[in-house]
Amino acid sequence: MAPMTSPTAELEPFPKTHLLGIGDLSPPDIDILLDRSDAWADRNALPDNKHAILRGRTQINLFFEASTRTQSSFEIAGKRLGADVMNMSVASSSVNKGETLLDTAVTLNAMRPDLIVVRHHGSGAVELLARKVANCAVVNAGDGSHEHPTQALLDALTIRRRKGRIAGLKMAICGDIAHSRVARSNILLLTALGAQVNVVGPATLMPPAVERMGVSVFGDMDSGIADADVVMMLRLQRERMSGMYVPSSREFFHYYGLNARRLALAAPDALVMHPGPMNRGVEIDSDVADGVQSVIREQVEMGVAVRMAVLEALSQNQARDNREPGR
Amino acid sequence: MSRFASAELGQRAVSAPLLFTNARLVDPKAGTDARGELLVADKRIVKTARKITSVPKGAETIDCAGAVVAPGLVDMQVHTGEPGAEHLETLGSASHAAAAGGITTFACMPCTDPVIDDPALVDFIQRRARDTAIVNVVPIAAATRGLAGTEMTEFGLLREAGAVAVSGGRQAIANARVMRQVLTYSRDFALPVIQAVEDADLAGEGVMHESEAATRLGLRGIPAAAELVMLERDLRLARLTGGRYHAGQLSAAESVDVLRRAKHDGLSVTGGVSVAHLTLNEYDIGAYRTFLKMCPPLRGEDDRQGLIAGLADGTIDVIVSNHDPHDVETKRRHFAESSDGAIGLETLLPATLRLVHSGDIELPALLAAMSTRPAELLGIDGGTLAPGAPADLVVFDPDTPWIVKPQDLSSRSKNTPYEDARMQGRVLRTIVAGRTVYEYAS
């Protein structure tokens, strides 16, 4: 027998129709999602995780870019809430990628989904799709180098549950900042909630004027992670290690890889985080990735809770706005 | 609504003499701005005066009610889809948009399919324009075969066929040796060489101005240096060769400084700017508005201010629409994948009038950059109200407010960056060779 009550029943509702980026959210909006995610994380630790909250709702995971972890995390989240979840992987090799995107929107509208989770290689593509779908909540599961809001939320939840707060903490985000949507969403979220954020990486992987986003830029990793409460490593794509951005993975690891010696420069109880999938020996040493300070496994767990909270919160708005209650 | 002349009789039609009364006559060539009357007969301006008493029989009187009468605008950088992409724009449809914008002559760029790199194709453009366009069209020929940037075209024969300039098209002529030869060879034919000033390698995968805005949007940037590197190289080659170099569109404030120094050193070089770069900046892109994606990209507000200053002090010679029609197929995509370019013929004058309303530039100087100067650069008649000049005229009220609605625009493509923008200033009538080709009726 599935439990009918939601652990978030007493919590404040989330006031938005879609979740397109952290940039659209106010600090209270972020807190609302974190509180609701926190409640789901507690609930998920108990047995019997099949709920009826999204029963009768259709969730489509529309992935224009392959992603095993994010897609399965959203799939588990939707299924635990009782939604009918469908995964659509759209080949991104075709030259008419943009055409496919809007054609897909038309097709999707005809299927009348309630929730669409979208990942796309183009910055802004999810927003474009959100403007074209009708009566349906859109969740950005990563668009180009722009945003990956649920990743930033799950990172923040992990930190909050470990450290009890975000405000005043010292963060170091390290690696390929320029191409990382995870970095952008995290910078927006962490600075909005009052953390001090350092970004660390070679100048070729630093986006222009990133200091205008309220972060301090470090080319030297040792000073960038000194006394940090959280060291967040980013994935460096293989194709960026062959000369145009960094000359080799060997040189990159030498200067920007997280190893035990460097980690010792951070606060003694610093958390080590990575959004995955990891390149062991390129950006992070295996000893550190699997060490006592690593919360990488916990991030994955929090991911499911955050995505359940987001899907539930957005569907509640639909129920209020344009759905018959109890549909 | 508005009325256009038919293209069938074209410019061979005979029109009655026209007397414009109650006009504010702005002659950018003479630098005058005064109330008066203007008489047109036999396709030419007969005279201007405070009051014209001897009027030929059968003359039609047009009471301008205080509106401006000025030389018709000359837009020296326009893309149409003819030949090859007529679904986007034909010479005919572009000419309607031009007429509605007070443009009486436009120069069409050679980046069509096929590329205009052969005298027969220059002739084709002229014949198609004669048969289908309601304003004057002058062709710009490709400077290299197929715009491939390697072999020069026949500048002399192209000139004889009617080409008014040569250009590398949308891309810069990247090879310095080829550019040197183009600038050297063009001297004997007095053809300006119009260059798209951007280093393609440095621009790389960039899709907008490299700045905080691009970083926040997660879009790759194009640094201003991509323009400066090419401009400084080209000016060095212009110094070496003495060729007539024209930078098609500048986008960065520093480029204006570079061009200013080159002019100060006595080089015969000139520069243009598009109306978009004078009136919009990177933040107008907002949430990934692809109609504001263009090449060169819209840059920062400091750049925009630098361009305005360069226009006001004469460093920048001409304003172009850089009219570039695109349809949903290529524009309704996500930002990085969407095509570059915006239409601009019909909004050229109203949008640039913002600079007059904001006090940045005087009206005669603004109009000079859109009529007198481009006519001089291309070596064509126009840009003046002097007796004997062609009767290519625009009548406009600089103050009438209106809102841009894409569906009301005459262009076949609707990719305007000014969708729903408020404009102040409206073209009331456009006259080509003494014949009214457009008349606004509210």
Side-chain angles (χ1 to χ4, degrees):
Chain A
M1 184 66 195
M4 290 300 289
T5 53
S6 164
T8 64
E10 305 294 311
L11 297 176
E12 237 185 292
F14 179 64
K16 305 267 185 208
T17 314
H18 306 297
L19 180 66
L20 300 179
I22 301 297
D24 304 331
L25 306 182
S26 66
D29 292 341
I30 297 169
D31 283 333
I32 288 169
L33 287 178
L34 289 178
D35 291 346
R36 300 177 73 96
S37 303
D38 199 37
W40 275 114
D42 288 344
R43 179 64 190 82
N44 284 349
L46 303 175
D48 198 352
N49 277 306
K50 183 77 178 172
H51 308 274
I53 291 164
L54 294 186
R55 193 167 61 196
R57 303 285 176 115
T58 304
Q59 172 190 336
I60 297 179
N61 295 336
L62 180 60
F63 278 62
F64 292 85
E65 203 181 66
S67 153
T68 315
R69 335 172 127 238
T70 307
Q71 183 167 328
S72 40
S73 180
F74 271 106
E75 185 175 351
I76 292 168
K79 284 182 170 164
R80 282 193 182 171
L81 291 171
D84 295 315
V85 183
M86 194 188 84
N87 291 316
M88 271 175 81
S89 296
V90 184
S92 56
S93 58
S94 121
V95 279
N96 292 326
K97 291 168 195 160
E99 190 182 62
T100 308
L101 178 65
L102 289 191
D103 283 352
T104 309
V106 173
T107 313
L108 286 175
N109 280 338
M111 295 180 189
R112 300 182 173 277
D114 302 279
L115 296 150
I116 305 183
V117 177
V118 192
R119 167 165 292 189
H120 198 283
H121 50 270
S123 299
V126 178
E127 184 159 338
L128 179 64
L129 190 87
R131 284 202 293 269
K132 300 290 171 188
V133 295
N135 298 328
C136 166
V138 175
V139 181
N140 182 358
D143 66 322
S145 307
H146 179 225
E147 282 235 41
H148 189 356
T150 56
Q151 178 71 41
L153 287 164
L154 75 87
D155 289 340
L157 181 65
T158 308
I159 298 166
R160 209 177 77 164
R161 284 169 72 94
R162 284 286 189 135
K163 299 278 181 192
R165 67 197 164 105
I166 302 286
L169 291 181
K170 198 169 167 185
M171 314 282 176
I173 305 178
C174 310
D176 183 359
I177 312 291
H179 301 94
S180 174
R181 52 193 173 218
V182 175
R184 276 175 187 66
S185 288
N186 264 304
I187 290 169
L188 291 167
L189 188 151
L190 297 170
T191 54
L193 294 191
Q196 183 197 331
V197 179
N198 290 349
V199 291
V200 181
T204 45
L205 292 176
M206 215 39 92
V210 68
E211 67 285 352
R212 298 283 297 269
M213 295 182 77
V215 299
S216 306
V217 179
F218 288 85
D220 172 47
M221 187 158 180
D222 288 3
S223 25
I225 67 170
D227 304 322
D229 298 300
V230 177
V231 181
M232 197 180 276
M233 302 307 296
L234 299 171
R235 177 180 168 78
L236 179 64
Q237 303 276 351
R238 291 245 161 233
E239 65 266 24
R240 304 212 168 100
M241 299 174 208
S242 53
M244 192 53 111
Y245 295 96
V246 295
S248 65
S249 57
R250 180 173 74 174
E251 177 149 309
F252 183 78
F253 184 68
H254 183 74
Y255 289 102
Y256 298 100
L258 185 65
N259 54 25
R261 182 194 69 77
R262 286 216 170 92
L263 183 56
L265 301 170
D269 57 348
L271 305 179
V272 173
M273 306 180 79
H274 194 295
M278 282 182 281
N279 292 309
R280 291 169 186 261
V282 174
E283 66 250 354
I284 192 162
D285 212 41
S286 267
D287 294 350
V288 174
D290 304 328
V292 287
Q293 287 170 264
S294 169
V295 293
I296 295 170
R297 198 200 55 83
E298 205 168 309
Q299 285 174 274
V300 179
E301 189 186 330
M302 290 307 115
V304 176
V306 161
R307 283 152 189 149
M308 289 174 79
V310 167
L311 294 170
E312 182 197 37
L314 292 175
S315 71
Q316 283 173 349
N317 288 354
Q318 289 185 318
R320 265 207 317 278
D321 295 346
N322 50 36
R323 302 275 175 188
E324 311 228 330
R327 172 184 176 266
Chain B
M1 277 285 292
S2 309
R3 291 194 296 273
F4 292 95
S6 111
E8 277 168 30
L9 288 169
Q11 284 130 37
R12 285 157 296 178
V14 180
S15 311
L18 293 174
L19 177 68
F20 296 86
T21 61
N22 286 322
R24 177 180 163 194
L25 300 172
V26 179
D27 185 345
K29 183 151 196 182
T32 56
D33 183 350
R35 299 298 294 259
E37 298 183 345
L38 181 147
L39 180 65
V40 162
D42 295 333
K43 305 181 182 182
R44 300 214 162 250
I45 294 169
V46 176
K47 69 183 294 191
T48 57
R50 186 89 189 87
K51 183 84 189 154
I52 293 176
T53 44
S54 61
V55 177
K57 261 207 173 122
E60 183 190 341
T61 298
I62 295 167
D63 183 348
C64 298
V68 172
V69 175
L73 305 187
V74 177
D75 185 348
M76 64 180 277
Q77 189 155 323
V78 170
H79 297 272
T80 77
E82 189 167 358
E86 288 82 357
H87 63 291
L88 300 179
E89 194 89 285
T90 59
L91 291 164
S93 65
S95 79
H96 279 73
I103 293 158
T104 53
T105 300
F106 68 79
C108 56
M109 295 294 283
C111 3
T112 46
D113 183 14
V115 166
I116 307 303
D117 59 0
D118 188 280
L121 291 162
V122 170
D123 187 56
F124 167 80
I125 295 286
Q126 291 186 305
R127 279 183 290 112
R128 285 293 292 165
R130 182 195 64 202
D131 293 343
T132 62
I134 58 172
V135 304
N136 306 309
V137 178
V138 289
I140 294 172
T144 61
R145 286 187 204 280
L147 291 173
T150 48
E151 298 164 43
M152 277 193 291
T153 51
E154 301 154 314
F155 292 180
L157 298 177
L158 290 165
R159 163 117 220 166
E160 283 190 34
V164 291
V166 292
S167 169
R170 294 177 188 276
Q171 272 96 43
I173 297 171
N175 184 312
R177 182 157 162 257
V178 173
M179 189 60 174
R180 177 195 180 170
Q181 297 303 81
V182 165
L183 283 167
T184 305
Y185 191 67
S186 69
R187 271 191 349 217
D188 287 338
F189 303 101
L191 279 171
V193 178
I194 302 174
Q195 171 86 313
V197 200
E198 185 175 276
D199 183 288
D201 291 322
L202 197 47
E205 292 173 341
V207 295
M208 71 176 287
H209 177 49
E210 182 174 296
S211 69
E212 180 192 354
T215 289
R216 285 183 182 274
L217 290 171
L219 295 172
R220 304 277 179 283
I222 300 173
E227 180 168 294
L228 285 154
V229 162
M230 188 55 76
L231 181 64
E232 291 188 314
R233 182 207 76 169
D234 285 349
L235 292 173
R236 181 57 59 183
L237 294 174
R239 201 180 289 264
L240 176 67
T241 60
R244 278 261 315 276
Y245 174 79
H246 177 76
Q249 290 184 81
L250 299 178
S251 66
E254 242 185 294
S255 301
V256 180
D257 299 335
V258 169
L259 183 63
R260 191 180 285 123
R261 278 198 298 278
K263 287 187 160 189
H264 182 262
D265 291 351
L267 298 189
S268 71
V269 293
T270 49
V273 63
S274 90
V275 53
H277 293 89
L278 288 172
T279 55
L280 301 167
N281 70 26
E282 56 180 341
Y283 286 101
D284 289 298
I285 289 169
Y288 303 98
R289 290 175 62 201
T290 58
F291 285 8
L292 286 95
K293 180 170 184 244
M294 49 192 77
C295 181
L298 293 173
R299 297 200 184 274
E301 180 58 14
D302 289 348
D303 290 302
R304 191 181 77 91
Q305 292 296 336
L307 294 169
I308 293 172
L311 179 69
D313 73 12
T315 302
I316 291 181
D317 298 82
V318 301
I319 306 171
V320 298
S321 70
N322 195 37
H323 183 80
D324 197 354
H326 291 277
D327 63 3
V328 174
E329 190 81 4
T330 58
K331 270 294 183 187
R332 298 267 185 218
R333 297 184 168 207
H334 72 82
F335 197 87
E337 223 173 51
S338 143
S339 52
D340 288 326
I343 59 166
L345 284 164
E346 203 164 339
T347 46
L348 175 64
L349 179 61
T352 50
L353 280 172
R354 288 177 175 180
L355 305 182
V356 173
H357 297 310
S358 61
D360 288 308
I361 192 167
E362 297 293 323
L363 184 59
L366 178 77
L367 294 176
M370 293 189 289
S371 58
T372 318
R373 289 295 289 142
E376 285 168 0
L377 288 185
L378 300 177
I380 57 177
D381 281 344
T384 169
L385 295 183
D392 294 345
L393 300 166
V394 55
V395 183
F396 66 94
D397 180 334
D399 297 315
T400 310
W402 61 290
I403 293 174
V404 180
K405 293 290 173 200
Q407 66 272 20
D408 296 339
L409 297 176
S410 303
S411 183
R412 195 167 278 183
S413 294
K414 307 297 182 191
N415 54 310
T416 171
Y418 300 107
E419 184 169 357
D420 294 325
R422 287 159 203 282
M423 294 291 178
Q424 193 182 342
R426 171 129 236 170
V427 173
L428 302 175
R429 186 188 284 262
T430 304
I431 290 123
V432 173
R435 169 172 172 258
T436 297
V437 294
Y438 169 80
E439 192 178 350
Y440 174 69
S442 52

